[in-house]
Short mmCIF file of all heavy atoms in Angstrom, two decimals:
data_model
loop_
_atom_site.label_atom_id
_atom_site.label_comp_id
_atom_site.label_asym_id
_atom_site.label_seq_id
_atom_site.Cartn_x
_atom_site.Cartn_y
_atom_site.Cartn_z
N LYS A 903 189.80 -9.33 161.19
CA LYS A 903 190.04 -7.89 161.09
C LYS A 903 190.53 -7.24 162.39
O LYS A 903 191.02 -6.11 162.37
CB LYS A 903 188.76 -7.17 160.64
CG LYS A 903 188.29 -7.56 159.25
CD LYS A 903 187.02 -6.81 158.88
CE LYS A 903 186.55 -7.19 157.48
NZ LYS A 903 185.30 -6.49 157.10
N ILE A 904 190.39 -7.93 163.52
CA ILE A 904 190.65 -7.23 164.78
C ILE A 904 192.13 -6.91 164.99
O ILE A 904 192.48 -6.03 165.77
CB ILE A 904 190.10 -7.99 166.01
CG1 ILE A 904 190.77 -9.36 166.17
CG2 ILE A 904 188.60 -8.13 165.91
CD1 ILE A 904 190.43 -10.02 167.50
N SER A 905 193.01 -7.59 164.27
CA SER A 905 194.43 -7.25 164.39
C SER A 905 194.72 -5.86 163.82
O SER A 905 195.79 -5.29 164.06
CB SER A 905 195.30 -8.28 163.67
OG SER A 905 194.97 -8.36 162.30
N GLU A 906 193.76 -5.29 163.09
CA GLU A 906 193.90 -3.93 162.54
C GLU A 906 193.63 -2.87 163.60
O GLU A 906 193.95 -1.69 163.38
CB GLU A 906 192.93 -3.73 161.38
CG GLU A 906 193.09 -4.71 160.23
CD GLU A 906 191.95 -4.60 159.23
OE1 GLU A 906 191.15 -3.64 159.34
OE2 GLU A 906 191.84 -5.48 158.35
N ILE A 907 193.02 -3.24 164.70
CA ILE A 907 192.62 -2.25 165.72
C ILE A 907 193.87 -1.60 166.32
O ILE A 907 194.78 -2.30 166.78
CB ILE A 907 191.76 -2.92 166.81
CG1 ILE A 907 190.44 -3.40 166.21
CG2 ILE A 907 191.50 -1.94 167.96
CD1 ILE A 907 189.57 -4.19 167.17
N ASP A 908 193.88 -0.28 166.32
CA ASP A 908 195.07 0.45 166.78
C ASP A 908 194.74 1.51 167.83
O ASP A 908 195.46 2.49 167.97
CB ASP A 908 195.80 1.09 165.60
CG ASP A 908 194.91 2.08 164.84
OD1 ASP A 908 193.72 2.22 165.20
OD2 ASP A 908 195.41 2.71 163.88
N ILE A 909 193.63 1.33 168.55
CA ILE A 909 193.28 2.25 169.63
C ILE A 909 193.28 1.48 170.95
O ILE A 909 193.20 0.25 170.96
CB ILE A 909 191.89 2.89 169.39
CG1 ILE A 909 190.80 1.80 169.31
CG2 ILE A 909 191.90 3.74 168.13
CD1 ILE A 909 189.40 2.36 169.27
N PRO A 910 193.38 2.18 172.08
CA PRO A 910 193.36 1.50 173.38
C PRO A 910 192.10 0.65 173.55
O PRO A 910 190.98 1.16 173.43
CB PRO A 910 193.40 2.65 174.38
CG PRO A 910 194.09 3.76 173.66
CD PRO A 910 193.63 3.63 172.23
N THR A 911 192.30 -0.62 173.79
CA THR A 911 191.20 -1.57 173.85
C THR A 911 191.26 -2.38 175.14
O THR A 911 192.31 -2.95 175.47
CB THR A 911 191.24 -2.54 172.65
OG1 THR A 911 191.19 -1.79 171.43
CG2 THR A 911 190.08 -3.51 172.69
N LEU A 912 190.14 -2.42 175.85
CA LEU A 912 190.03 -3.23 177.06
C LEU A 912 189.01 -4.33 176.82
O LEU A 912 187.90 -4.07 176.36
CB LEU A 912 189.58 -2.38 178.25
CG LEU A 912 189.31 -3.14 179.55
CD1 LEU A 912 190.60 -3.74 180.10
CD2 LEU A 912 188.66 -2.24 180.59
N ILE A 913 189.40 -5.56 177.11
CA ILE A 913 188.49 -6.70 177.01
C ILE A 913 188.17 -7.15 178.43
O ILE A 913 189.07 -7.48 179.21
CB ILE A 913 189.12 -7.84 176.21
CG1 ILE A 913 189.41 -7.38 174.78
CG2 ILE A 913 188.22 -9.07 176.21
CD1 ILE A 913 190.24 -8.35 173.98
N VAL A 914 186.88 -7.13 178.76
CA VAL A 914 186.43 -7.52 180.10
C VAL A 914 185.70 -8.85 180.00
O VAL A 914 184.69 -8.97 179.28
CB VAL A 914 185.49 -6.45 180.71
CG1 VAL A 914 185.03 -6.88 182.10
CG2 VAL A 914 186.20 -5.09 180.79
N HIS A 915 186.22 -9.85 180.70
CA HIS A 915 185.61 -11.18 180.67
C HIS A 915 185.04 -11.50 182.05
O HIS A 915 185.71 -11.36 183.07
CB HIS A 915 186.63 -12.25 180.30
CG HIS A 915 186.08 -13.63 180.33
ND1 HIS A 915 185.19 -14.10 179.38
CD2 HIS A 915 186.26 -14.65 181.21
CE1 HIS A 915 184.86 -15.35 179.66
NE2 HIS A 915 185.50 -15.70 180.76
N ALA A 916 183.78 -11.93 182.08
CA ALA A 916 183.14 -12.37 183.31
C ALA A 916 183.48 -13.84 183.55
O ALA A 916 183.30 -14.67 182.65
CB ALA A 916 181.63 -12.18 183.23
N GLY A 917 183.98 -14.13 184.74
CA GLY A 917 184.50 -15.46 185.02
C GLY A 917 183.51 -16.59 184.85
O GLY A 917 183.89 -17.72 184.54
N GLU A 918 182.20 -16.30 185.05
CA GLU A 918 181.18 -17.34 184.94
C GLU A 918 180.32 -17.17 183.69
O GLU A 918 179.20 -17.68 183.62
CB GLU A 918 180.29 -17.32 186.20
CG GLU A 918 181.03 -17.52 187.51
CD GLU A 918 181.75 -18.85 187.57
OE1 GLU A 918 181.18 -19.86 187.12
OE2 GLU A 918 182.90 -18.87 188.06
N ASP A 919 180.84 -16.45 182.72
CA ASP A 919 180.09 -16.19 181.49
C ASP A 919 179.91 -17.47 180.67
O ASP A 919 180.89 -18.13 180.32
CB ASP A 919 180.81 -15.13 180.66
CG ASP A 919 179.94 -14.50 179.59
OD1 ASP A 919 178.88 -15.08 179.27
OD2 ASP A 919 180.31 -13.42 179.09
N LYS A 920 178.66 -17.80 180.37
CA LYS A 920 178.36 -18.98 179.55
C LYS A 920 178.18 -18.63 178.08
O LYS A 920 177.96 -19.51 177.25
CB LYS A 920 177.08 -19.66 180.06
CG LYS A 920 177.18 -20.16 181.50
CD LYS A 920 175.86 -20.74 181.97
CE LYS A 920 175.94 -21.21 183.42
NZ LYS A 920 174.63 -21.73 183.91
N VAL A 921 178.28 -17.33 177.76
CA VAL A 921 178.09 -16.86 176.39
C VAL A 921 179.43 -16.74 175.67
O VAL A 921 179.59 -17.17 174.53
CB VAL A 921 177.34 -15.52 176.36
CG1 VAL A 921 177.19 -15.01 174.92
CG2 VAL A 921 175.98 -15.65 177.04
N VAL A 922 180.41 -16.14 176.34
CA VAL A 922 181.73 -15.91 175.77
C VAL A 922 182.77 -16.63 176.61
O VAL A 922 182.80 -16.47 177.84
CB VAL A 922 182.06 -14.40 175.71
CG1 VAL A 922 183.46 -14.17 175.15
CG2 VAL A 922 181.02 -13.67 174.87
N SER A 923 183.61 -17.41 175.99
CA SER A 923 184.61 -18.20 176.72
C SER A 923 185.85 -17.36 177.02
O SER A 923 186.15 -16.37 176.31
CB SER A 923 185.03 -19.42 175.90
OG SER A 923 185.76 -19.02 174.74
N LEU A 924 186.57 -17.75 178.05
CA LEU A 924 187.84 -17.11 178.36
C LEU A 924 188.81 -17.30 177.20
O LEU A 924 189.62 -16.40 176.90
CB LEU A 924 188.42 -17.70 179.65
CG LEU A 924 189.81 -17.17 180.06
CD1 LEU A 924 189.80 -15.66 180.27
CD2 LEU A 924 190.30 -17.90 181.32
N GLN A 925 188.74 -18.42 176.52
CA GLN A 925 189.63 -18.70 175.39
C GLN A 925 189.43 -17.66 174.28
O GLN A 925 190.40 -17.17 173.69
CB GLN A 925 189.40 -20.11 174.85
CG GLN A 925 189.87 -21.23 175.77
CD GLN A 925 188.96 -21.46 176.97
OE1 GLN A 925 187.80 -21.03 176.99
NE2 GLN A 925 189.51 -22.13 177.98
N ASP A 926 188.17 -17.32 174.00
CA ASP A 926 187.91 -16.30 172.99
C ASP A 926 188.40 -14.94 173.44
O ASP A 926 188.94 -14.17 172.62
CB ASP A 926 186.41 -16.23 172.68
CG ASP A 926 185.98 -17.27 171.65
OD1 ASP A 926 186.86 -17.94 171.08
OD2 ASP A 926 184.76 -17.40 171.42
#
Side-chain angles (χ1 to χ4, degrees):
K903 296 180 180 179
I904 63 170
S905 60
E906 302 170 10
I907 295 174
D908 59 357
I909 60 172
T911 302
L912 175 66
I913 298 170
V914 180
H915 177 72
E918 302 300 319
D919 197 343
K920 299 176 182 178
V921 178
V922 178
S923 68
L924 176 59
Q925 290 75 19
D926 276 353

